[in-house]
Every structure is written in C-alpha cells, then in structure tokens.
Amino acid sequence: MTSNKNKKQLTSVGIVGCGWLGTPLAQHLKKQGVAVLATRSNTDNVKQLTNQGINAAVLSLPAQQTALNNHPVFKQQCLVIAITPQFRQGRVDYADKVAQLVTAAKNNNKVEKIILLSSSAVYNGLSGLVDESMVLDLTADKVSVLNQAEQTVLNFTSDQVVKASNADMLYVNGHSGLGRNKGFVLRLTGLVGPNRHPGKFLSHGRMLQNPQAQVNLIHQQDAVSLILSLLASDIHGGIFNGVSATQVTKKQYYQAAANALNLPPPSFEEKDSLSKTDSKIVSGKKTQEALHYAFVYDDLLAWLEQGH
C-alpha cells in the first residue's frame, strides 16, 4: 500500500459528457475543493452547467484529433469519461470516440488517471452470477463495442513522474509507481434517482419482457460515490461493477414502481421469457471489498416503497 505522505492530492478533474450523473459528481468535487472542468456537446447544455456554477466548455465527438488534443479538459489531473454509447440512436462509434479521448489525454501527458463509466450491458449474452473476471460474449448485442472502449481505457498508462527522492519513491506491490496503468472501468447497472424514477418507464403502457429476470440497479448517489472512491484510490487501474444488493425480480420491482406513482400495474410478456435462474446477476463484491464502500441505497425496493 502507498504511504500517506506519498499519496498525491486530487487537484483537478475533467468530466467529459457531464449530464445526469456527471453534474452531481462535479458538485461533490467542487465542495471538496477540487477544480472541475466539465464538457457537453453543445452550448445550450454548457450554459446549463455554468448556471449551476460548474466550469464548462463545449466538446463534441467525433472530432478532428489535432483540434481535440488542444482542449483544456486534457490538462486536468484526472479524466472521467461519461459519454453515452447512444445505441438507441443507431450510433456505432462509441469505441472510436473513447479512443479519441484517450489519445488526446496521452498526447497532453497531464492526465494521470482515466475512469470510463461503462455499462453492465457488456455482460449481455451471459447468465447467472457475473463478475469482472468473466469472459465476455463478444457476439452478443452491444458487447463488442463496449469491450473495445473499455480495453482502450484499461491500456492507458500515465507517464507522469512522481516527484520524490529515490529514497521516497512510490512503490506498489514491489513495483515502481511510475508508468503504471491508471485506467479504470466502472460498469454501472441500471441507474435510478432524481428525475429517473423507474415508474416513468411504465407511463406509456409499455409492456416489459422477462418478468422473472433479476434487476441490477444502482442509485445516482452511490454511483457518484463510487466514482469519487476511484478518483481517491491508490489502486492501479481495473474493472469494477457498480451495483446495489437489491435482489428482486423485474416483475416485483416494476409493480412497486407503479404503486409508488399510483400507476396501473405493468404488463409483462410472459411468452418465451427468461426464468429467474437464467437471468444475469451482477456481482458487486469486488468493488465493495477493494474500495471499502458501503452503499447508501443498497435496497432499492425499500427506496421505492418509501415513496421516492
């Protein structure tokens, strides 16, 4: 482990794609005295951030690489990539966009750590208990693109030199801390929280599939806290799942969501649906143990029933 005297203070963070999750992250960092530069893809969204007191600039992807390299977000100590894949909009260039960001970070040689906010959709095609060590099904929907983006970030190496005397050189697990991988992937499960109530998915009479599948969810506050934990961590990179301990079926969960909003009970497609044993259950064990993190909202069924 790193000694406290060698632990480097977090001074600045760039958040690329600072939306529903990035905005509360920026606000938490500001309260901690950390300088933040957030980006959005257009001036209207940037104005929304600046109106909340968040320093922000336009960054639109894909971009011309030389121009992108000059963006001030790559002058920050740490970089959080929070852009969405936009699969529903038919986009297939997510991995290319992430690669552009990582290339710009390398070219500037200022960023020491990159955190990619990925998705548990990378486990599509798998069933049962899934963790960060699983071999992915690259033939399944979305998986190949997500995996390519993740690997680009995981291969990021910071060339920043630890300014210390030879006697005080930073060592981790017997190795010099210089030039080590500092790329992190946080695989977030279904996000809930302010302005993202699960019951809203039911408001248009939407029919839900696989009622016996288990839900894998995380609250916005816990997702932000996990990102903050990774930013402060001495761990040298890796993959981490972001998921609460909520263990209920989709049918149970969305019935509770409908009740919370006084909506009619949801309709489910029972034909050819997954059984509870065939669904995937995302494990949060590694994340909680490595980061020593205790969830604020570990039971999101209780959160629903309490009227949130």
Side-chain angles (χ1 to χ4, degrees), residues 177-194:
L178 308 183
R180 297 293 303 280
N181 284 12
K182 296 292 278 187
F184 295 81
V185 169
L186 182 58
R187 292 173 173 168
L188 294 169
T189 49
L191 288 157
V192 298

Side-chain angles (χ1 to χ4, degrees), residues 1-239:
M1 291 296 291
T2 310
S3 65
N4 288 332
K5 72 173 182 176
N6 284 327
K7 187 171 183 178
K8 200 165 184 179
Q9 184 178 359
L10 181 62
T11 57
S12 65
V13 175
I15 306 173
V16 180
C18 187
W20 182 82
L21 196 53
T23 300
L25 172 64
Q27 292 165 339
H28 274 77
L29 288 167
K30 280 189 62 186
K31 288 177 183 177
Q32 294 177 0
V34 178
V36 174
L37 177 59
T39 78
R40 292 297 300 270
S41 61
N42 60 64
T43 53
D44 288 343
N45 287 334
V46 164
K47 189 175 181 181
Q48 289 179 14
L49 292 174
T50 55
N51 287 343
Q52 296 178 70
I54 299 170
N55 187 24
V58 172
L59 190 160
S60 182
L61 295 169
Q64 202 278 331
Q65 189 68 53
T66 305
L68 186 64
N69 293 347
N70 293 322
H71 198 286
V73 78
F74 303 107
K75 301 289 193 287
Q76 313 309 309
Q77 182 188 13
C78 296
L79 190 68
V80 177
I81 301 176
I83 63 173
T84 56
Q86 297 180 305
F87 290 130
R88 291 179 182 174
Q89 288 77 37
R91 300 299 294 255
V92 293
D93 57 355
Y94 175 66
D96 297 330
K97 291 176 180 178
V98 171
Q100 282 204 305
L101 296 172
V102 174
T103 296
K106 288 180 178 178
N107 286 340
N108 278 273
N109 198 28
K110 299 290 185 185
V111 174
E112 299 174 12
K113 178 185 292 189
I114 298 179
I115 299 172
L116 174 67
L117 304 188
S118 187
S119 167
S120 61
V122 78
Y123 296 121
N124 284 356
L126 304 180
S127 61
L129 187 67
V130 295
D131 63 26
E132 297 86 347
S133 67
M134 302 291 289
V135 175
L136 303 176
D137 180 0
L138 298 178
T139 66
D141 184 38
K142 306 175 186 175
V143 177
S144 180
V145 174
L146 291 172
N147 177 66
Q148 187 180 341
E150 289 186 356
Q151 291 305 314
T152 300
V153 170
L154 291 170
N155 289 330
F156 172 74
T157 301
S158 171
D159 293 327
Q160 284 292 298
V161 176
V162 178
K163 295 179 180 178
S165 66
N166 289 336
D168 293 332
M169 188 61 73
L170 175 62
Y171 279 84
V172 179
N173 294 329
H175 299 284
S176 167
L178 308 183
R180 297 293 303 280
N181 284 12
K182 296 292 278 187
F184 295 81
V185 169
L186 182 58
R187 292 173 173 168
L188 294 169
T189 49
L191 288 157
V192 298
N195 302 314
R196 196 173 284 202
H197 192 287
K200 292 184 178 179
F201 293 110
L202 310 173
S203 57
H204 301 293
R206 181 178 173 185
M207 185 168 286
L208 301 175
Q209 297 178 331
N210 303 320
Q212 295 307 312
Q214 180 171 306
V215 295
N216 295 285
L217 301 166
I218 187 170
H219 190 278
Q220 180 194 67
Q221 185 173 334
D222 285 308
V224 168
S225 295
L226 286 178
I227 299 166
L228 292 170
S229 296
L230 286 173
L231 286 168
S233 172
D234 290 330
I235 299 169
H236 283 266
I239 302 171

Side-chain angles (χ1 to χ4, degrees), residues 267-278:
S267 299
F268 293 92
E269 290 184 11
E270 301 285 350
K271 185 179 179 182
D272 297 328
S273 63
L274 290 172
S275 70
K276 190 171 183 179
T277 55
D278 288 334

